[in-house]
Amino acid sequence: MDKSQSKAIKDAKSIFRVASGNFLEMYDFAVYGFYASFIAQVFFPSSSQFASIMMSFMAFGVGFLMRPVGAIILGGYMDKHGRRKGLLITLSLMAVGTLTIAVCPGYEQIGILAPVIVVIGRLLQGFSAGAEIGGASVYLAEIAPADKKGFYVSWQSASQQVATIAAGIFGVVLHYYLGDQIVSEWGWRIPFIFGCLVVPFLFIIRRTLEETPEFKARAHQAPKKLSAMLKNMVENWQVVVLGSLFVMMTTVTFYFITAYTPTFANRVLHLSRLDSFIVTAIVGLSNLFWLPVAGALSDKIGRKPILMVITFLNLISAYPMMYFLVHHISFTNLVIVELWFSFIFGSYNGAMVVGLSEIMPPQVRALGFSLSYSIAVAIFGGFTPAISTYLIHTTGNSAMPGIWLSIAALCSLLASWTLFRKGGVYHRRKESEY
């Protein structure tokens, strides 16, 4: 076996170790979104179904507000102490947050403490996730060969799709064998408990990670204090702002086609819960296909062509696709529309994530990536289910989430053009670093 084959095998093992831990981050968020209507009944009871679901989605969204805090603290920790140590911490915190929600008694048992505990669990999950995606993406970017960075980094998002598939399959099995009544009473807790049970295995797998050679080579250059890291970020504030807009489309689209789909399909389209979970599992499989394909393609033709084309396609198609769906409601049409948005998400994200890692200052790469990504999720993506529910409720137009998707596409289109134009941040960083 030659050196190139040996490195490929070693890198494949590292990708698996990173992705396996990243699986839990998305699994926990997906499960909460999938069971939001049941969580609303148990922890946020109200005489108004709209108010109850909105409170559940707001609790879902509030977890994302902790992401920038987690990005600063844990992202800074990774830049100072290493990617490996930071990824072990994020995994542990995510597990605690999930367990908190899984075992919390309902509102009928402990009153106002129930929603308070659930929100605390969501805050812990959000704090952890603030650096998980950034840490995993940066780790993969730093171990990848120069001509395969897009393909390597795409597996960070691909692992999240495995989580979406697993959560979707859980939903199908639970509703098929237990029925809606039992799932609404206590069965929804089973997927959360499963997430807790796999943590020890994921922790053992992730402990075997080696630190990246690039971090070791630059460790002496990294700012030693968090204040110095934040100063570096302030000096590069334009990159952080543009990076957040750059991420906007991927996070809005993703949480629409995963976390919001079960509620939208059941409450708005009046399809069965079983149908909605089947669609979600299909979407996860589609995402899993498109992400590495787009990542590899971006290594061949560059990031910019993919980013510009896909954002434009979403800009002009999001509302028409939603309009078609709500006026021609069927399981088949829901699958068609969701697969289109899956293609949009997977194609864009496959090129976007590696691009985001490449525009960040090397000394604070984990912090910069995590902060930009977390701001985008906190402001835009995490509240997509709540925003979509509100738009439909206030306008009476079930296709209105398409407008929100188009707004996100426009922001990311402009950010992509600015970052990747000739002489832009991407080109300057590539010329100075590579």
Side-chain angles (χ1 to χ4, degrees):
M1 183 182 298
D2 59 29
K3 289 184 178 180
S4 61
Q5 291 177 318
S6 178
K7 185 181 187 309
I9 293 174
K10 182 180 178 181
D11 287 352
K13 291 179 179 179
S14 295
I15 290 172
F16 173 75
R17 290 166 185 147
V18 172
S20 63
N22 201 47
F23 165 93
L24 182 66
E25 186 269 337
M26 190 59 244
Y27 174 83
D28 292 338
F29 275 74
V31 166
Y32 187 102
F34 291 175
Y35 294 97
S37 59
F38 297 135
I39 291 173
Q41 296 170 20
V42 175
F43 298 111
F44 305 95
S46 172
S47 57
S48 167
Q49 186 180 79
F50 167 72
S52 182
I53 292 177
M54 277 297 291
M55 285 189 288
S56 180
F57 277 141
M58 289 303 289
F60 178 75
V62 77
F64 293 93
L65 296 178
M66 283 297 289
R67 282 198 173 201
V69 180
I72 292 172
I73 296 175
L74 296 178
Y77 179 90
M78 289 181 186
D79 282 323
K80 182 178 180 181
H81 298 286
R83 320 310 188 197
R84 175 185 174 277
K85 291 181 179 179
L87 288 172
L88 288 172
I89 292 175
T90 59
L91 179 62
S92 302
L93 290 173
M94 181 63 70
V96 173
T98 302
L99 182 62
T100 299
I101 297 173
V103 302
C104 180
Y107 189 90
E108 290 186 359
Q109 286 73 46
I110 60 174
I112 193 65
L113 280 177
V116 171
I117 292 173
V118 168
V119 169
I120 291 173
R122 289 291 300 133
L123 292 175
L124 277 173
Q125 289 180 328
F127 181 80
S128 164
E132 169 64 33
I133 292 178
S137 299
V138 167
Y139 185 97
L140 295 174
E142 290 183 348
I143 68 170
D147 61 342
K148 294 182 179 179
K149 288 185 179 291
F151 179 71
Y152 272 51
V153 177
S154 69
W155 287 102
Q156 175 273 124
S157 296
S159 69
Q160 295 182 357
Q161 310 320 307
V162 177
T164 301
I165 296 167
I169 291 175
F170 246 120
V172 171
V173 172
L174 287 177
H175 284 276
Y176 184 80
Y177 286 104
L178 299 182
D180 288 357
Q181 183 62 34
I182 294 178
V183 173
S184 67
E185 292 174 357
W186 58 268
W188 62 267
R189 295 181 186 269
I190 296 175
F192 283 94
I193 294 171
F194 169 79
C196 297
L197 293 177
V198 301
V199 168
F201 300 100
L202 299 180
F203 194 82
I204 291 171
I205 291 171
R206 189 166 268 191
R207 280 189 66 187
T208 60
L209 278 174
E210 296 181 8
E211 191 52 76
T212 69
E214 187 170 334
F215 174 80
K216 291 178 180 178
R218 284 205 174 104
H220 65 285
Q221 299 177 3
K224 299 303 179 183
K225 295 183 179 179
L226 181 60
S227 59
M229 296 181 184
L230 293 177
K231 180 181 178 181
N232 193 305
M233 284 291 91
V234 171
E235 293 172 350
N236 289 274
W237 68 269
Q238 291 176 311
V239 178
V240 174
V241 172
L242 286 171
S244 298
L245 295 175
F246 187 44
V247 175
M248 183 176 177
M249 189 182 86
T250 201
T251 186
V252 168
T253 305
F254 180 72
Y255 284 103
F256 179 81
I257 63 177
T258 56
Y260 183 59
T261 286
T263 300
F264 179 77
N266 183 249
R267 300 287 186 181
V268 179
L269 303 183
H270 304 294
L271 298 175
S272 72
R273 293 190 182 278
L274 185 61
D275 285 344
S276 67
F277 283 111
I278 291 173
V279 171
T280 305
I282 292 172
V283 165
L285 286 169
S286 176
N287 292 346
L288 184 59
F289 172 79
W290 288 114
L291 283 161
V293 169
L297 184 61
S298 74
D299 288 327
K300 300 294 184 182
I301 68 173
R303 323 294 184 212
K304 184 177 179 180
I306 297 175
L307 298 170
M308 300 298 291
V309 169
I310 297 301
T311 49
F312 179 75
L313 284 176
N314 201 32
L315 174 63
I316 63 174
S317 70
Y319 185 79
M321 292 296 286
M322 291 298 298
Y323 185 88
F324 163 78
L325 176 59
V326 300
H327 287 85
H328 302 85
I329 297 174
S330 71
F331 174 79
T332 300
N333 288 340
L334 176 61
V335 171
I336 292 171
V337 171
E338 291 282 309
L339 286 179
W340 171 251
F341 287 130
S342 169
F343 163 73
I344 292 291
F345 161 75
S347 299
Y348 182 76
N349 197 76
M352 183 279 297
V353 176
V354 64
L356 185 63
S357 72
E358 290 170 336
I359 65 174
M360 291 298 160
Q363 298 87 346
V364 286
R365 182 174 286 147
L367 171 58
F369 185 112
S370 299
L371 187 58
S372 293
Y373 204 103
S374 297
I375 290 173
V377 177
I379 299 177
F380 310 118
F383 287 99
T384 287
I387 291 171
S388 298
T389 301
Y390 177 78
L391 288 174
I392 293 172
H393 180 76
T394 54
T395 65
N397 181 358
S398 299
M400 279 302 289
I403 297 297
W404 176 232
L405 292 170
S406 291
I407 291 172
L410 177 61
C411 291
S412 290
L413 175 63
L414 295 174
S416 297
W417 179 83
T418 304
L419 290 167
F420 286 80
R421 73 185 191 280
K422 189 174 182 180
V425 172
Y426 173 79
H427 290 283
R428 293 200 302 271
R429 194 78 67 206
K430 292 284 280 186
E431 289 169 2
S432 64
E433 187 177 351
Y434 302 110

